[in-house]
Amino acid sequence: MSISVSKVVVSSLCMILGLRICFKFNVCVSEDGIFPPLKVTVTIINNLSGGKQLTVHCKDKKNDFGFKELQVGQNWSFIFPPWFTSLYFCSFAWSTGFHYFDIYVHNRDIYRCKHCIWEFPYVIIGKVNKNNNHGM
């Protein structure tokens, strides 16, 4: 009897350890599954009319990506591993406007998009499907 109890205990401990590793290192990833992705990509696209340059400045608590100047039709992306506290925010400036957004908030976006696209002048947050079409 003690042998079968010890097998159950060892089996249970292995399962718990496996799940712990799975969540700690984000290795339990499935395409659009219940587990979070290993990485998230945020892409910003300048589609402003009249040839307006878009100046972008994105950062989080620890990383500052600096100022990026995007001409019409250009895009810029950054990739990061999503953590439970991930928060990236950006300012956007052009000749007639200035905006500031929380561009990625873990609780809001973790299952919403693994490739989050922000397109100016219209803001789109979504995931890119296999055909690279925007979708929610």
Side-chain angles (χ1 to χ4, degrees), residues 16-42:
I16 291 169
L17 179 61
L19 286 172
R20 188 163 161 85
I21 289 170
C22 180
F23 287 110
K24 176 143 178 91
F25 298 105
N26 269 346
V27 294
C28 302
V29 178
S30 63
E31 187 74 27
D32 298 322
I34 61 170
F35 298 110
L38 286 173
K39 62 183 178 176
V40 170
T41 302
V42 172

Side-chain angles (χ1 to χ4, degrees), residues 46-66:
N46 179 1
N47 281 333
L48 294 169
S49 63
K52 295 180 185 126
Q53 177 178 290
L54 177 66
T55 301
V56 180
H57 184 212
C58 296
K59 57 185 177 177
D60 73 352
K61 188 175 180 180
K62 297 178 183 176
N63 303 300
D64 186 336
F65 296 113

Side-chain angles (χ1 to χ4, degrees), residues 113-133:
C113 59
K114 66 181 175 183
H115 188 175
C116 307
I117 299 172
W118 289 72
E119 184 174 333
F120 286 83
Y122 305 104
V123 176
I124 299 171
I125 301 178
K127 64 181 181 179
V128 176
N129 65 23
K130 292 178 184 172
N131 297 324
N132 289 331
N133 296 324

Side-chain angles (χ1 to χ4, degrees), residues 94-114:
W94 60 95
S95 60
T96 58
F98 178 85
H99 292 280
Y100 175 86
F101 296 110
D102 288 340
I103 202 151
Y104 184 88
V105 180
H106 181 84
N107 292 337
R108 180 190 72 195
D109 299 323
I110 188 63
Y111 293 109
R112 193 177 204 182
C113 59
K114 66 181 175 183

Side-chain angles (χ1 to χ4, degrees), residues 53-98:
Q53 177 178 290
L54 177 66
T55 301
V56 180
H57 184 212
C58 296
K59 57 185 177 177
D60 73 352
K61 188 175 180 180
K62 297 178 183 176
N63 303 300
D64 186 336
F65 296 113
F67 289 89
K68 308 295 180 193
E69 295 180 348
L70 303 178
Q71 302 304 318
V72 173
Q74 288 184 323
N75 67 71
W76 174 72
S77 298
F78 62 94
I79 300 170
F80 60 94
W83 298 100
F84 294 107
T85 58
S86 294
L87 170 63
Y88 287 85
F89 40 95
C90 302
S91 64
F92 302 90
W94 60 95
S95 60
T96 58
F98 178 85

